[in-house]
Amino acid sequence: TYTYTYMMKKENQSGIFKKLPKIKEAWEAIPELKDLKNCPQSAIFHAEGNVENHTKMVLEKAEQAARTEGLSEKACNLLCWGALLHDVGKPATVKVEEDGITSSRNHAAKGEDIVKKTILTKETGWSLKEELELMGLVRLHAFPVRFWEREDPKSSVVKASMHCSNLLLSLLAQSDMAGRITKDKEAQKQGIEVAKLFRGLAEELNALTTPYGFHNAHSRFHYFRKNGECGLPFNLFDDTKFEVTLMCG
C-alpha cells in the first residue's frame, strides 16, 4: 500500500497521480484528505454526514459522468481528481455560525491554496497546464451552480474558461450537487439544472473545452481589465505593434 513516506520517494511520487484516484491509496498518500472524516457539515445540505462521505459520493458521480460523456483518459483523470480534492479546504474553514448552521465559507479558495502549496509540491507527472487546471477546478467547483446570479453571466463563463475546462467544471458541479443527501431536494435539482445551463452557455460561446478565443492578446487584456463590461465579441485593433523605419546617412 501507499504511505506518505513511500510517495515522497522520487521514483514513486507520480504513481498515484497518473491514474484515477482510488480512495484507499489517496487517503494514505495525501495527509490533508484524512481531516475530511472529522469535518462536520450542515445537516440541511449534507445529511450524508462528514466531508469524507460526501467526497466519496461526489467521486462516484464524477466517474459515472466521465463514462457517460466518453471523456478521454486525461480529462477523466482531471475530473476525478477535482472531485476528490474539491472540498479539501473545508476542515480549515469550518465553523458554526450564530444561527447554529455549520458552514465552510471560502473553502474553495482555501482548497486551491492547499492543492497549490502542499499537494502539487509532490512530483505529479502532470504538465503545468494540467496542474493549473486542477487548481481551477477546486477553486471554481461550485461556480456553475451560481453563475446565473452574476451581473454578467457570459463574462463569468469566459473568465472561468481561462482557468479550466468549462465542460469538466460543469460536470464537477453536477457531481457535487448529486453526490449528497439533502433535505432540500428542489434546490439540489435546481443546482444541477443551472450547472447544465452553464455548460450550454459555454458551448454557445465556444468556450466549453478551451479558453474563449479572443481576436488577439490585446483584446483579451482590455476585456479583463474592464471586467468584461465591454461585451462580446470584443475585438480591438492591436496598436501596440507597429513598424519603425530607421534612416541613417
Side-chain angles (χ1 to χ4, degrees):
T1 58
Y2 286 91
T3 62
Y4 187 65
T5 302
Y6 176 83
M7 286 296 299
M8 289 305 291
K9 293 180 180 178
K10 187 173 180 59
E11 64 270 22
N12 300 316
Q13 285 173 337
S14 63
I16 194 172
F17 290 95
K18 287 185 176 179
K19 56 187 178 181
L20 292 181
K22 301 298 182 184
I23 292 296
K24 184 178 180 180
E25 291 181 353
W27 253 250
E28 291 178 347
I30 303 174
E32 292 77 18
L33 291 174
K34 296 179 181 178
D35 295 333
L36 303 186
K37 187 173 185 177
N38 298 317
C39 185
Q41 300 181 107
S42 167
I44 298 174
F45 303 108
H46 287 283
E48 71 276 0
N50 60 48
V51 181
E52 180 182 292
N53 292 337
H54 170 58
T55 297
K56 290 177 179 178
M57 294 174 70
V58 174
L59 179 57
E60 181 180 353
K61 294 296 183 181
E63 290 176 342
Q64 292 174 2
R67 288 194 296 269
T68 300
E69 292 288 332
L71 296 181
S72 68
E73 182 180 355
K74 183 181 293 186
C76 181
N77 204 22
L78 268 173
L79 173 61
C80 290
W81 275 100
L84 182 73
L85 299 171
H86 80 285
D87 276 348
V88 74
K90 278 189 173 180
T93 56
V94 67
K95 64 177 293 188
V96 178
E97 304 290 350
E98 292 182 359
D99 57 7
I101 299 294
T102 301
S103 71
S104 298
R105 297 179 186 276
N106 300 316
H107 73 274
K110 181 62 178 178
E112 180 194 31
D113 192 56
I114 292 173
V115 169
K116 176 183 178 181
K117 294 182 178 179
T118 305
I119 297 173
L120 291 183
T121 57
K122 304 175 181 66
E123 176 58 50
T124 63
W126 290 1
S127 67
L128 176 60
K129 180 179 182 298
E130 290 169 330
E131 292 186 347
L132 290 173
E133 187 161 10
L134 176 62
M135 290 163 53
L137 287 172
V138 171
R139 183 180 184 91
L140 300 175
H141 70 265
F143 177 68
V145 176
R146 302 184 178 92
F147 89 102
W148 206 252
E149 301 171 5
R150 296 299 179 95
E151 185 175 346
D152 186 354
K154 281 188 177 182
S155 176
S156 66
V157 171
V158 169
K159 290 177 182 178
S161 76
M162 300 293 147
H163 296 280
C164 58
S165 161
N166 277 334
L167 172 59
L168 299 185
L169 187 57
S170 173
L171 294 176
L172 178 56
Q174 292 176 60
S175 299
D176 186 21
M177 293 302 298
R180 66 179 67 191
I181 300 172
T182 176
K183 296 178 181 179
D184 195 341
K185 298 293 184 182
E186 187 59 35
Q188 183 182 38
K189 181 180 178 181
Q190 181 178 338
I192 293 172
E193 291 304 313
V194 174
K196 290 179 180 178
L197 285 176
F198 173 87
R199 172 179 178 166
L201 182 54
E203 189 169 15
E204 180 182 320
L205 293 169
N206 292 318
L208 184 61
T209 57
T210 57
Y212 178 82
F214 286 95
H215 181 62
N216 50 39
H218 190 57
S219 298
R220 182 175 66 245
F221 171 79
H222 279 281
Y223 180 83
F224 290 118
R225 187 182 186 188
K226 296 181 179 180
N227 294 317
E229 297 175 356
C230 35
L232 293 170
F234 182 65
N235 300 325
L236 285 181
F237 174 72
D238 189 353
D239 58 5
T240 64
K241 297 180 180 180
F242 48 86
E243 291 184 4
V244 174
T245 301
L246 181 63
M247 301 182 69
C248 300

